[in-house]
């Protein structure tokens, strides 16, 4: 998963679960759930694990701590990453008159820290805390110099982090070795759940209106340390119509009563942001493009019933550029 900026709504036995950080498999008592080397929004969510799972919504979910494993290579999203995410959006709006429409969960700034090699990981937190504290202070200071209005309670944050470290220590494993054993030990069924959609991929999405991670099948290899030859079936999940949260290109969008109908009947609200999703007809060009990159072996078509009340259904089948059809996604 790229981080808790994506939300998955899962309905099982009439109960609805909204997942942002945890793999959906956490509700299966027979499954081991593993959070790989993707970014972990950590400061509050992991501190509240016990209370989160004691909510009446999730009653009956027992022994989840024994079934949740966190990779030691997962990067940590700090409070100041989230604050900077919001400040950057304000900056873009002021300078360019538009923003990217991020979820303001700190994902982009954390990936920036990761790429700049100043990021901090779970393994750093759980080893030498003095060294971790020193690097944390340096990172915080870097952001304060870039954003003078940014306020960071450094000592308060470090005190919380030290407490959280002990709470999650039993769940942390060497993620690469864990996956290697899963792949080469006794036969297991391994299902990898990705966050976001192909068109939000940092490399292949509608840049710059994308997330900061690889949402395509390549993320399985880079996110978990799984060799390519172990990737078997690839399931593409697609609605019978197209939706998007936030701004960015959307050729089949219906800003009319059709779009309103799809939005209301399909309950199209962002799980993480609560924002209305933009809705339009199914775009086969982007679906084919997603297939080019991911090589789907099967498609899971969802929400077909939302279209039941329509007499006529339209589908986007081709793009034109300069009056001519083009066989690719530009």
């Amino acid at each position: 998963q790229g981080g808790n900026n994506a939300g998955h709504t899962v309905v099982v036995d009439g109960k609805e679960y909204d997942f942002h950080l945890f793999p959906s498999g956490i509700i299966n008592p027979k499954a081991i759930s593993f959070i790989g080397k993707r970014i972990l929004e950590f400061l509050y969510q992991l501190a509240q694990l016990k209370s989160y799972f004691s909510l009446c919504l999730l009653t009956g979910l027992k022994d989840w701590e024994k079934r949740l494993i966190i990779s030691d290579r997962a990067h940590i999203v700090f409070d100041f990453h989230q604050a900077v995410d919001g400040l950057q959006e304000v900056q873009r709006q002021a300078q360019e008159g538009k923003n990217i429409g991020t979820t303001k969960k700190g994902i982009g700034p954390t990936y920036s820290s990761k790429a700049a090699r100043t990021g901090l990981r779970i393994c750093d937190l759980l080893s030498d805390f003095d060294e971790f504290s020193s690097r944390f202070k340096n990172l915080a200071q870097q952001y304060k110099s870039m954003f003078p209005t940014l306020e960071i309670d450094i000592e308060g944050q470090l005190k919380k982090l030290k407490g959280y470290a002990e709470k999650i220590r039993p769940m942390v494993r060497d993620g690469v070795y864990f996956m290697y054993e899963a792949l080469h030990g006794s036969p297991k069924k391994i299902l990898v759940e990705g966050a976001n959609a192909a068109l939000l991929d940092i490399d292949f999405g509608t840049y710059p209106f994308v997330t900061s991670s690889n949402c395509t099948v390549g993320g399985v290899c880079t996110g978990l340390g799984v060799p390519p030859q172990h990737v078997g079936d690839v399931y593409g999940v697609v609605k019978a119509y197209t939706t998007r949260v936030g701004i960015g290109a959307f050729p089949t969008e219906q800003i009319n009563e059709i779009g309103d109908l799809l939005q209301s009947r399909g309950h199209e609200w962002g799980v993480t942001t609560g924002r209305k999703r933009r809705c339009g007809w199914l775009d086969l060009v982007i679906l084919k493009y997603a297939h080019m990159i991911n090589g789907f072996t099967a498609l899971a078509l969802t929400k077909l019933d939302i279209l039941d009340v329509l007499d006529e259904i339209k589908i986007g089948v081709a793009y034109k550029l300069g009056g001519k059809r083009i066989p690719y996604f530009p």
Side-chain angles (χ1 to χ4, degrees):
Q1 305 262 37
N4 73 319
N5 53 327
H8 290 166
T9 300
V10 182
V11 181
V12 179
D13 294 333
K15 285 185 183 177
E16 184 175 303
Y17 306 86
D18 287 341
F19 291 112
H20 300 272
L21 179 64
F22 302 105
S24 301
I26 196 76
I27 54 180
N28 182 350
K30 296 179 182 177
I32 299 294
S33 292
F34 174 57
I35 299 175
K37 80 159 184 65
R38 285 301 182 222
I39 290 169
L40 199 56
E41 193 283 332
F42 175 92
L43 204 52
Y44 299 116
Q45 288 208 350
L46 285 179
Q48 296 169 350
L49 281 176
K50 281 186 167 60
S51 60
Y52 179 78
F53 278 109
S54 67
L55 293 173
C56 57
L57 179 71
L58 300 179
T59 47
L61 199 60
K62 295 175 182 176
D63 299 327
W64 61 269
E65 300 108 316
K66 297 173 185 174
R67 296 185 283 106
L68 180 66
I69 293 170
I70 300 165
S71 172
D72 56 350
R73 290 166 171 83
H75 275 256
I76 305 172
V77 181
F78 298 114
D79 267 18
F80 56 75
H81 282 128
Q82 296 196 38
V84 165
D85 202 351
L87 289 170
Q88 286 177 332
E89 284 286 78
V90 171
Q91 237 178 34
R92 291 183 192 108
Q93 190 67 48
Q95 291 170 355
E96 304 169 32
K98 62 180 178 181
N99 55 35
I100 288 175
T102 79
T103 56
K104 299 177 184 175
K105 294 291 184 182
I107 306 303
T110 309
Y111 270 100
S112 297
S113 297
K114 174 183 168 182
R117 287 154 291 187
T118 54
L120 287 159
R121 302 185 292 174
I122 296 296
C123 55
D124 301 313
L125 176 67
L126 298 188
S127 52
D128 184 336
F129 195 76
D130 289 338
E131 172 70 14
F132 175 87
S133 300
S134 176
R135 289 176 59 191
F136 179 88
K137 289 173 184 176
N138 288 340
L139 182 58
Q141 209 53 53
Q142 284 175 23
Y143 277 111
K144 280 176 73 71
S145 64
M146 286 189 283
F147 299 91
T149 60
L150 185 64
E151 293 182 11
I152 305 172
D153 177 9
I154 291 176
E155 295 306 323
Q157 297 281 299
L158 284 170
K159 185 179 178 182
K160 284 181 182 177
L161 283 161
K162 193 168 188 177
Y164 298 161
E166 298 317 307
K167 283 185 171 70
I168 66 158
R169 193 179 290 276
M171 302 177 195
V172 177
R173 301 264 284 275
D174 183 304
V176 173
Y177 187 63
F178 172 77
M179 284 308 303
Y180 181 83
E181 282 195 307
L183 290 163
H184 297 278
S186 57
K188 294 177 180 64
K189 291 180 180 178
I190 300 173
L191 176 69
V192 181
E193 177 182 35
N196 295 302
L199 269 290
L200 292 178
D201 185 270
I202 184 70
D203 294 310
F204 298 106
T206 49
Y207 190 90
F209 307 107
V210 292
T211 191
S212 300
S213 62
N214 289 112
C215 313
T216 44
V217 74
V220 175
C221 303
T222 57
L224 293 171
V226 172
Q229 65 263 36
H230 287 286
V231 177
D233 293 323
V234 180
Y235 300 102
V237 183
V238 61
K239 293 172 188 170
Y241 51 95
T242 304
T243 64
R244 179 169 191 136
V245 173
I247 53 180
F250 193 165
T252 61
E253 183 174 13
Q254 298 299 297
I255 308 173
N256 52 29
E257 66 279 1
I258 295 289
D260 292 341
L261 177 85
L262 295 173
Q263 198 279 325
S264 60
R265 273 183 62 84
H267 303 288
E268 296 296 349
W269 302 89
V271 176
T272 300
T273 61
R275 289 180 291 182
K276 274 187 180 183
R277 291 195 186 109
R278 298 157 63 194
C279 299
W281 299 117
L282 180 63
D283 186 333
L284 289 184
V285 179
I286 58 174
L287 184 55
K288 184 179 179 182
Y289 174 68
H291 175 56
M292 287 179 194
I293 299 162
N294 292 286
F296 300 134
T297 51
L299 281 178
L301 183 67
T302 68
K303 294 199 166 185
L304 191 58
D305 58 319
I306 303 304
L307 306 176
D308 282 353
V309 296
L310 295 168
D311 294 325
E312 182 180 74
I313 296 167
K314 294 184 181 182
I315 296 174
V317 294
Y319 287 2
K320 282 183 178 178
L321 191 63
K324 294 182 180 177
R325 277 196 180 203
I326 52 173
Y328 55 90
F329 180 78

